[in-house]
Amino acid sequence: MLGNEREKIRHLLVIKDLRGRRTVPLRETTYSLGRHPANTIILASRSVSMQHAILLRVTVPETDQYGFQIIDGNYKGKGSTNGLFVNGAKCFSHNLRNGDTIAFGSNQAQAKYYAISNISEQAFSESFDVEDLSGFLSEQASPANPFQTLAIDPGFEAASESALARLASFPELIPNPIIEMDFEGIVTYLNPAAALKFPNLRKVGTQHPILAGLLNTVKNLEKNSFVREVEVGTEVFEQSVLYLPESDLIRTFIIRDITEQKQATAELRQRDRLLQAVAEAANYLLGEMNYETGIDRALALLGEAAQADRAYLFQNHLHPATGEIAVSLRFEWTQSLIESTHHHWQNQPYQASGLARWYAVLSSGQSISGLTSEFPVAEQEFLIRDGIQSLLLVPLRLENECWGYLGLADCTFERHWSKHEESTLLTMAASIIGARQRQQVEEKIRYQALHDLLTGLPNRLLFSELLSKTLPNATRNGESLAVIFLDLDRFKVINDTLGHTLGDQLLKSLAQRLQDLLRGGDTIARWGGDEFTILLPRVNDIEEVTQVAYRILQTLEDPFHLQGHELYVTASLGIALLDNNSPDAETLIQHADAALYYAKDKGRNNYQFYSVSLSAKNPELLTLEKSLRYALERKEFALYYQPRINIATGEITGMEALLRWQHPEMGLVAPSVFIPLVEESGLIIPIGEWVLRTACIQNKIWQDAGFPPITIAVNLSLKQFRQPKLVEIIATVLEQTGLEPHFLELEIMETTAIEDVDFTRTVLENLKQMGVYISIDDFGTGHSSLSRLQLLPLHNLKIDQSFVKDLKPDSKVAHIIQAIVTLGHSLGLKLTAEGVETKEQFEFLKSINCEEVQGYFFYRPLSVLKATEILENKRSALESIDTESML
């Protein structure tokens, strides 16, 4: 190794100028020498030109050694002002030999050249700083190994000054292609790198991308050089163009190959497009209430961003005829000139269609990607039929099953899909599955909101919707329809004596029996408790209705066998027909209800049709309504308070104010009886304001007594919420009572919130700015979705007690409640469950991170005295804990 190191010839240039003496090792192929700071070797002397000379490495013929040639002037061939002298003789160029002395215009700037071998790399490096270089080199030599110096054949000279000028511009030595072309478009010179890179350039001439357009471009140049990008096949180059008018030449220099850079830039741009599309689609899927509209938009965003020809969504399902696993195209987006393939991809069985591999791969969670020509023959037939040249598919997994798959296809060229495109498609698939899960949850919530959980029948809300939709058809077709109100006779006796469980089973059996006897198209709903409503559309004469009513009473003659009991039940039916007296849905229901009361008065177990003579109200209700008008001024109302409990801490965080009416003769009237009358009579406005004021006063009293601060919750009915001065009234009450706004929580029904979302949002925004907390009460009983409620400035959702009542672990209700809690948290809302009565219900709600509960398991509604006593006990317990901690 040491021998090889010493055999190597090393080159030095020792400079002496006005700056002093310095040694420059010559390791590069070219050097420029001159006074200008841009030169490789800077010479400090006024006699030196800006660029005085060029030092050029040249290969010694027939050897693997090289020397250096020095040339007077700059790269453009312009000579120095004061000349170049080697060993005292002025010259244009000279092949340097060891020991040569060079003067640049005068003795103020000189250099001595050394070409030596038989010296180690370490000694060579040390020589740079030695003052007496000749002496140092002599000390390094030995008699056995004297210095060897480079001897260049004196005949090895450049052929002419033009050849030297060419050599001085060093195109032959560098790896970058250089081409020269005259103004006739003839290629006059190619350096070796250009000839190798573009072998057909001379033949193609100005049609070659490297030279294309240059002749016209240089004619309009303000400067004599510019840089441009050129594409040659699949490669992209950065090209410098120099216009040399004095030589009638255009010189181009390929600065660098930027193919990879351009590809990387294009990939980054494509990634940005895809990521933006995924983000936009995710937002759209989250906000769009219509699932199908959301998917269509998401596929369009994806397809356009991916610059694909098709974007699909396929769904797996059982074949309708054979029951085997099959696939159908559910959603498709295509470019404008691409035909749809929707009809090709319906009920395709995987096995019989030759697509079993797709199902196996996608079910395992893997993707399918490739060119059509690389797919198995059976799969190619499907793809070629649709003009697909390349395909990318990723699985859609729902509840750990391959629900379907999402795909991109290109019909224009054979496209290799990148890993980033695959990962983007997987991200989009996750968003779509998230939207699908949300749709399922909302469907469950909507089903729960529109159906009775016990019987599975439509509830009163859905019944009212169906009735409202049926009325226009009946009117348009000149038909009538009937509404039947059915109420079980003395059901309360069964419930109280045999228990609620058997009572529930009886209601379920009754619902099934009624469904079985009704005509196709008839609708039966559970109105509430033991009341049912029946809609008979397309009624042509009263006899049809009479027959249905008779069959209902007849079917109840057969006993119900439940839990070893033989139960006989009867029912009373009230019937209202669509006519001039009952022209709309609300009136039909009211009149059927009135007829029902008449049937009960007739001794029960019969049916009665509504007539105008039945319009008078029940006398008991009329008496109650009359008494209500004086109840407020007679101070017969009182507020009860039901505590709200934090599940995690067990502490009371708030109280819900509940209105009670102590009638002087009838005693405590049930809220379910008098609240509807308060609403119908319009008394809800003054009574509601009294409730609000009284609750705020009581909360301020508790705070002033030193109890831990809590919120007071007050319900607002639809009429209260709609009154024009609601915000002003609340602000006045808070100011007059001195209660800070954030200790007041207003509860509105879900149906109230969604009746007019824009109006609701305006009112709630004003209340929120005031600092008042807003809750949705009885959530789940309406038919809204959380995607609609997210438009409103809410703080809390109260899960309706009808859910909690039927709550059992791993039941449908449990899954619905968990979905409500999860979605509520995702919207930043706090969740409160109403009607908690058992430890099992409480433990489940705790396990799903529901924050607060309210119900008989903790406290029933309490009088002011009892509520105050509870708060006092809580405070004493806290003070005791604090005292113990201090000790």
Side-chain angles (χ1 to χ4, degrees):
M1 183 70 180
L2 184 60
N4 292 338
E5 184 182 290
R6 285 182 170 273
E7 289 174 7
K8 182 179 178 180
I9 296 177
R10 308 174 195 277
H11 306 266
L12 286 173
L13 196 65
V14 180
I15 307 291
K16 289 183 180 180
D17 58 11
L18 297 179
R19 289 173 52 194
R21 181 182 180 280
R22 60 191 184 280
T23 301
V24 180
L26 302 178
R27 293 192 174 100
E28 304 298 331
T29 55
T30 58
Y31 294 87
S32 61
L33 299 91
R35 195 171 78 247
H36 194 275
N39 287 287
T40 315
I41 299 174
I42 302 170
L43 302 172
S45 172
R46 297 296 298 177
S47 64
V48 176
S49 296
M50 296 300 285
Q51 184 180 331
H52 200 103
I54 299 167
L55 197 60
L56 184 67
R57 188 169 73 184
V58 292
T59 303
V60 178
E62 300 180 2
T63 75
D64 59 355
Q65 302 289 356
Y66 63 82
F68 278 88
Q69 184 179 52
I70 192 163
I71 304 166
D72 182 66
N74 61 21
Y75 286 120
K76 295 183 180 180
K78 182 180 178 182
S80 65
T81 302
N82 297 320
L84 179 70
F85 299 86
V86 179
N87 299 326
K90 186 176 183 180
C91 60
F92 174 74
S93 67
H94 180 78
N95 288 320
L96 293 173
R97 296 174 178 79
N98 183 57
D100 282 350
T101 300
I102 309 161
F104 300 93
S106 73
N107 291 333
Q108 286 183 339
Q110 293 186 340
K112 191 164 185 178
Y113 170 75
Y114 292 90
I116 55 177
S117 65
N118 209 6
I119 187 172
S120 68
E121 179 65 31
Q122 180 180 354
F124 180 64
S125 298
E126 291 173 356
S127 69
F128 304 164
D129 301 320
V130 173
E131 190 70 29
D132 181 9
L133 183 61
S134 297
F136 173 78
L137 294 175
S138 298
E139 292 173 3
Q140 296 297 316
S142 64
N145 294 295
F147 281 118
Q148 301 293 322
T149 61
L150 180 67
I152 298 180
D153 184 356
F156 179 62
E157 297 286 350
S160 66
E161 288 192 5
S162 62
L164 286 174
R166 173 79 66 202
L167 193 59
S169 63
F170 63 95
E172 300 285 329
L173 300 176
I174 67 171
N176 298 63
I178 297 178
I179 307 102
E180 287 184 356
M181 175 179 70
D182 63 20
F183 284 177
E184 301 299 322
I186 298 171
V187 176
T188 59
Y189 172 71
L190 293 175
N191 76 339
L196 181 64
K197 188 67 179 177
F198 312 116
N200 65 338
L201 193 142
R202 284 187 184 274
K203 180 180 179 182
V204 176
T206 55
Q207 299 304 310
H208 195 280
I210 291 295
L211 302 177
L214 288 183
L215 289 173
N216 290 330
T217 303
V218 298
K219 293 177 182 178
N220 303 316
L221 282 180
E222 295 181 3
K223 298 181 179 180
N224 65 344
S225 64
F226 64 94
V227 175
R228 69 174 186 173
E229 291 181 5
V230 291
E231 292 186 20
V232 182
T234 59
E235 296 178 294
V236 185
F237 301 96
E238 190 174 66
Q239 178 187 28
S240 174
V241 178
L242 179 65
Y243 170 42
L244 304 172
E246 67 276 10
S247 305
D248 290 336
L249 288 175
I250 299 172
R251 176 181 295 165
T252 76
F253 178 84
I254 302 302
I255 301 172
R256 58 196 176 112
D257 184 337
I258 58 173
T259 306
E260 292 185 1
Q261 175 187 322
K262 298 293 286 186
Q263 289 174 345
T265 301
E267 287 181 9
L268 286 173
R269 194 177 296 115
Q270 174 72 342
R271 288 185 184 188
D272 288 343
R273 279 200 303 268
L274 287 171
L275 290 173
Q276 183 177 352
V278 168
E280 189 175 344
N283 287 334
Y284 197 84
L285 288 167
L286 179 64
E288 175 56 49
M289 288 179 287
N290 186 304
Y291 170 73
E292 295 189 355
T293 302
I295 298 299
D296 283 334
R297 178 61 178 155
L299 289 183
L301 288 167
L302 176 66
E304 290 168 358
Q307 297 178 324
D309 290 323
R310 286 194 175 100
Y312 318 87
L313 189 151
F314 293 83
Q315 183 181 346
N316 295 327
H317 59 89
L318 296 179
H319 194 281
T322 65
E324 61 184 310
I325 191 70
V327 65
S328 291
L329 177 58
R330 297 300 188 210
F331 300 92
E332 180 184 27
W333 170 87
T334 64
Q335 292 283 6
S336 57
L337 299 179
I338 303 296
E339 292 184 4
S340 171
T341 59
H342 194 273
H343 60 287
H344 289 167
W345 289 94
Q346 298 303 311
N347 300 319
Q348 289 288 347
Y350 279 106
Q351 200 66 39
S353 300
L355 301 176
R357 183 181 75 93
W358 286 17
Y359 184 72
V361 171
L362 293 165
S363 294
S364 69
Q366 301 178 49
S367 303
I368 292 176
S369 176
L371 308 179
T372 298
S373 58
E374 298 171 349
F375 281 66
V377 175
E379 297 172 11
Q380 286 187 34
E381 292 179 2
F382 279 93
L383 300 179
I384 292 172
R385 176 194 65 188
D386 296 338
I388 296 172
Q389 297 198 39
S390 63
L391 185 67
L392 172 62
L393 303 174
V394 300
L396 291 164
R397 299 189 65 80
L398 181 62
E399 297 177 353
N400 295 322
E401 296 291 335
C402 184
W403 180 78
Y405 47 91
L406 192 63
L408 291 172
D410 203 303
C411 304
T412 309
F413 61 91
E414 293 188 333
R415 173 175 181 170
H416 293 277
W417 305 94
S418 68
K419 283 293 182 184
H420 182 73
E421 287 169 326
E422 181 181 340
S423 65
T424 301
L425 199 59
L426 285 166
T427 303
M428 181 68 83
S431 296
I432 289 174
I433 285 298
R436 173 61 182 165
Q437 288 173 322
R438 189 195 72 186
Q439 182 207 25
Q440 288 180 326
V441 169
E442 290 184 352
E443 285 174 353
K444 289 179 181 178
I445 293 174
R446 177 170 172 79
Y447 182 88
Q448 174 67 28
L450 297 176
H451 291 79
D452 174 54
L453 287 180
L454 177 64
T455 62
L457 296 177
N459 61 13
R460 67 168 66 192
L461 184 63
L462 182 54
F463 182 85
S464 298
E465 283 186 8
L466 294 172
L467 177 57
S468 296
K469 290 178 181 177
T470 307
L471 281 170
N473 292 332
T475 303
R476 187 166 48 251
N477 298 329
E479 299 173 336
S480 183
L481 58 80
V483 172
I484 302 177
F485 238 113
L486 181 153
D487 182 83
L488 288 181
D489 299 329
R490 300 178 182 86
F491 175 74
K492 188 175 185 299
V493 176
I494 296 174
N495 233 6
D496 292 343
T497 57
L498 300 179
H500 291 281
T501 301
L502 190 137
D504 287 348
Q505 289 184 6
L506 175 59
L507 292 174
K508 289 171 66 175
S509 299
L510 172 66
Q512 187 60 55
R513 193 178 288 188
L514 293 174
Q515 280 183 297
D516 292 342
L517 70 84
L518 291 176
R519 310 171 304 174
D522 295 344
T523 299
I524 178 171
R526 186 182 179 195
W527 194 255
D530 61 342
E531 290 184 325
F532 295 83
T533 48
I534 300 166
L535 170 62
L536 306 179
R538 298 185 304 278
V539 170
N540 294 310
D541 58 68
I542 196 170
E543 184 60 28
E544 294 179 48
V545 184
T546 302
Q547 287 296 322
V548 172
Y550 176 75
R551 288 202 307 270
I552 291 174
L553 294 178
Q554 191 177 43
T555 194
L556 295 179
E557 292 178 358
D558 296 329
F560 292 88
H561 297 279
L562 300 169
Q563 295 183 9
H565 297 278
E566 186 176 79
L567 303 176
Y568 289 87
V569 296
T570 60
S572 300
L573 281 67
I575 306 169
L577 295 171
L578 176 64
D579 55 24
N580 293 333
N581 295 318
S582 307
D584 54 58
E586 185 178 356
T587 309
L588 275 165
I589 292 172
Q590 288 176 353
H591 288 176
D593 193 22
L596 171 64
Y597 277 103
Y598 185 54
K600 287 185 175 293
D601 288 341
K602 287 288 185 179
R604 307 175 191 267
N605 193 26
N606 70 94
Y607 62 86
Q608 296 294 327
F609 283 87
Y610 171 80
S611 65
V612 178
S613 62
L614 299 179
S615 294
K617 279 190 175 179
N618 184 300
E620 292 180 354
L621 294 180
L622 285 172
T623 302
L624 276 178
E625 183 175 336
K626 184 177 180 181
S627 299
L628 268 174
R629 297 191 179 277
Y630 304 97
L632 188 58
E633 64 184 68
R634 292 173 180 171
K635 299 183 180 179
E636 295 173 0
F637 290 119
L639 289 188
Y640 274 53
Y641 300 89
Q642 187 171 32
R644 183 189 300 170
I645 309 300
N646 183 291
I647 288 182
T649 65
E651 297 300 320
I652 295 175
T653 58
M655 295 275 193
E656 181 179 3
L658 301 170
L659 182 63
R660 295 292 182 264
W661 182 20
Q662 187 69 39
H663 193 278
E665 293 152 9
M666 292 185 287
L668 198 63
V669 182
S672 59
V673 174
F674 77 88
I675 293 294
L677 293 176
V678 170
E679 284 277 359
E680 291 173 11
S681 63
L683 293 170
I684 190 65
I685 300 301
I687 294 175
E689 186 174 343
W690 177 86
V691 171
L692 176 67
R693 187 180 303 276
T694 305
C696 290
I697 290 172
Q698 185 58 56
N699 198 15
K700 190 67 169 67
I701 290 172
W702 284 331
Q703 289 186 11
D704 293 342
F707 296 136
I710 59 174
T711 58
I712 194 77
V714 177
N715 287 281
L716 293 181
S717 71
L718 177 60
K719 287 184 178 178
Q720 283 179 281
F721 191 72
R722 289 283 173 179
Q723 60 182 313
K725 296 185 178 181
L726 174 66
V727 177
E728 183 179 333
I729 291 170
I730 293 170
T732 301
V733 169
L734 288 171
E735 182 181 359
Q736 292 175 352
T737 61
L739 184 69
E740 294 179 24
H742 61 275
F743 292 119
L744 173 63
E745 181 173 321
L746 297 177
E747 297 183 357
I748 60 172
M749 296 285 287
E750 181 186 2
T751 49
T752 300
I754 65 172
E755 183 171 288
D756 184 343
V757 175
D758 291 335
F759 173 85
T760 302
R761 181 165 47 193
T762 301
V763 174
L764 296 188
E765 284 289 355
N766 291 332
L767 292 172
K768 182 182 178 183
Q769 289 178 12
M770 191 189 301
V772 174
Y773 276 66
I774 309 296
S775 289
I776 292 295
D777 193 22
D778 298 339
F779 181 76
T781 59
H783 58 284
S784 67
S785 65
L786 285 174
S787 61
R788 293 178 71 184
L789 292 181
Q790 71 175 329
L791 301 174
L792 305 177
L794 304 175
H795 300 90
N796 193 13
L797 279 186
K798 297 189 74 176
I799 302 169
D800 186 62
Q801 59 186 351
S802 62
F803 287 83
V804 179
K805 174 186 174 184
D806 298 316
L807 174 59
K808 294 178 182 177
D810 298 323
S811 66
K812 288 183 178 180
V813 176
H815 291 306
I816 291 173
I817 292 177
Q818 185 167 8
I820 293 173
V821 171
T822 301
L823 289 173
H825 284 161
S826 71
L827 295 176
L829 301 178
K830 185 162 46 173
L831 277 297
T832 301
E834 298 180 299
V836 178
E837 296 184 0
T838 67
K839 183 175 177 60
E840 184 182 32
Q841 293 167 350
F842 171 76
E843 291 297 337
F844 174 79
L845 292 166
K846 183 177 181 180
S847 71
I848 62 172
N849 297 320
C850 181
E851 288 92 340
E852 295 180 337
V853 289
Q854 187 177 332
Y856 289 179
F857 182 68
F858 295 95
Y859 302 99
R860 291 175 176 271
L862 306 169
S863 65
V864 174
L865 188 62
K866 287 288 185 183
T868 304
E869 185 178 323
I870 293 293
L871 292 175
E872 177 63 47
N873 292 339
K874 285 285 183 180
R875 178 173 65 177
S876 299
L878 286 174
E879 289 174 351
S880 175
I881 293 172
D882 291 342
T883 303
E884 289 176 6
S885 64
M886 291 174 65
L887 294 175

